Amino acid sequence: MGHTNDPAVIERLMRTKGRWAIVGLTTNEWRAAYDTSLFIRDRLGMEIIPVNLPGDPVHGEPGYSTVGDIPPEKQPIDVVDCFVNSHRVGAVVDQAIAAGAKAVWLQLGVIDEAAVERAKAAGLDVVMNVCPAQQAWKYNL
């Protein structure tokens, strides 16, 4: 049986102010992560941390190459939001677990049941195949 998202978890993650590591966030304005990260920061009021291979800054925030590279002063990470291909997200979920993140959010179209099960077994909240910007209307955000 596959993962089923819990609407209460989605709402809590979207309403509770925190720190979101956005994996796959680059300066490419054509990528979904670019605008969605602005929504997460500006509309939901979260602190965002760009994570991309070159470690480039985005939206004026310093970037890091991996979740594991995020320094202690940027910890704890409340949500690791994954804008990566499904076949690559398992490694990101493992990094989130190792970093002590509280939740992983696999964006729309990002599906990895095995990675989700590892995250749940480690005690993380999990959302899969959902975009927070598309869920906001449900919660009057």
Side-chain angles (χ1 to χ4, degrees):
M1 177 159 178
H3 171 76
T4 301
N5 291 318
D6 180 345
V9 169
I10 292 172
E11 182 175 14
R12 179 172 39 80
L13 293 177
M14 290 177 63
R15 285 193 183 279
T16 305
K17 302 300 180 231
R19 185 175 285 140
W20 287 44
I22 314 288
V23 181
L25 173 56
T26 69
T27 57
N28 183 342
E29 296 177 23
W30 294 100
R31 303 276 318 230
Y34 190 86
D35 286 332
T36 303
S37 62
L38 287 173
F39 173 87
I40 291 167
R41 184 188 73 184
D42 299 341
R43 179 103 176 254
L44 298 182
M46 307 300 175
E47 177 184 346
I48 62 167
I49 302 171
V51 178
N52 54 67
L53 289 178
D56 291 336
V58 184
H59 304 314
E61 303 292 341
Y64 302 92
S65 295
T66 68
V67 173
D69 292 336
I70 298 170
E73 62 269 15
K74 292 283 187 174
Q75 305 281 344
I77 301 166
D78 296 295
V79 178
V80 175
D81 191 1
C82 303
F83 283 92
V84 298
N85 292 328
S86 295
H87 68 278
R88 295 178 184 228
V89 78
V92 176
V93 169
D94 292 340
Q95 291 173 24
I97 294 167
K102 298 174 187 171
V104 290
W105 189 303
L106 282 62
Q107 281 290 329
L108 198 60
V110 181
I111 299 169
D112 185 332
E113 294 286 351
V116 162
E117 289 307 314
R118 290 194 304 277
K120 287 190 217 176
L124 279 69
D125 286 324
V126 175
V127 177
M128 182 169 65
N129 193 28
V130 172
C131 176
Q134 293 178 347
Q135 295 293 304
W137 66 272
K138 290 182 181 179
Y139 308 106
N140 294 317
L141 297 171

